[in-house]
Amino acid sequence: MGSTLWRVAIRPILIAGDPRLATLAVAVTVFDDELAGFVDDLFETNTAANGAGLAANQVGDPRAVFVYDLVEGGVRHRGHVVNPVLETTELPETMPDPDDDLEGCLSVPGEWYPTGRAGWAKVTGVDIHGAPVEVEATTGLLARCLQHETDHLAGRLYLTRLIGRNQRAARKMIKRRGWTEPGASWLPGTEDPR
């Protein structure tokens, strides 16, 4: 019996304006070596981009899977979730704090905007083998990341969650950057997307 060797690859990350970022992800039904290799590629791409998380559609793949890898309070949180389902407390109705609620995105490189997110989040799903997975975050960056990545898989960039002056500033930035046409991407580790 031989085993399939997968070469881990850093994949180009799509930039805002590409319709694949606004498309609902499809459920994963095949749990095989190809899926495992793809998740490795997501981790490698996320690391090369200095990201906290990365969803499959950000690299042009329609499957419902994301990875996360971040340090919060001295603790490293690293994992992946296939076919995630998100639960949260209520979203805040007030204007996000310009210092504490800043959020960025690898598909909106070099830009940060205050974004309202729930303080508690839990994602359930499965791993690359189909075994149950549950990730819960009570505060902070991990809770924000879980919401951000599941938003991606629902076809939603964090920019759509912006309100007031932040929403207006983001619209102007998209036009200024020329991110209104599909097909723009950047390759982590080889170019500066800003």
Side-chain angles (χ1 to χ4, degrees), residues 88-98 100-103 113-119 143-144 147-148 151 156 158-163 166:
T88 67
T89 50
E90 286 187 38
L91 291 174
E93 293 182 14
T94 57
M95 195 69 169
D97 185 284
D100 295 335
D101 294 328
L102 276 182
E103 191 166 321
Y113 293 97
T115 309
R117 294 288 186 180
R144 182 173 293 278
Q147 293 168 78
H148 182 106
D151 265 359
R156 167 182 259 172
Y158 87 104
L159 299 177
T160 64
R161 293 212 178 263
L162 301 180
I163 58 173
N166 300 318

Side-chain angles (χ1 to χ4, degrees), residues 66-90:
F66 73 82
V67 299
Y68 60 94
D69 189 355
L70 57 97
V71 176
E72 182 175 32
V75 177
R76 185 176 187 193
H77 303 278
R78 185 177 194 276
H80 69 278
V81 185
V82 178
N83 299 335
V85 175
L86 175 70
E87 294 176 58
T88 67
T89 50
E90 286 187 38

Side-chain angles (χ1 to χ4, degrees), residues 81-187:
V81 185
V82 178
N83 299 335
V85 175
L86 175 70
E87 294 176 58
T88 67
T89 50
E90 286 187 38
L91 291 174
E93 293 182 14
T94 57
M95 195 69 169
D97 185 284
D99 297 319
D100 295 335
D101 294 328
L102 276 182
E103 191 166 321
C105 178
L106 296 177
S107 289
V108 187
E111 303 291 340
W112 296 81
Y113 293 97
T115 309
R117 294 288 186 180
W120 173 87
K122 179 171 77 171
V123 170
T124 55
V126 295
D127 67 12
I128 57 172
H129 307 291
V133 171
E134 180 178 293
V135 185
E136 183 176 4
T138 55
T139 59
L141 185 57
L142 182 58
R144 182 173 293 278
C145 180
L146 295 176
Q147 293 168 78
H148 182 106
E149 300 310 325
T150 54
D151 265 359
H152 272 300
L153 299 177
R156 167 182 259 172
L157 284 176
Y158 87 104
L159 299 177
T160 64
R161 293 212 178 263
L162 301 180
I163 58 173
R165 66 183 173 273
N166 300 318
Q167 183 182 64
R168 290 187 295 277
R171 284 185 185 141
K172 288 179 184 174
M173 176 274 301
I174 291 286
K175 287 179 185 170
R176 184 179 73 249
R177 294 276 204 123
W179 290 344
T180 55
E181 299 296 319
S185 66
W186 67 284
L187 187 62

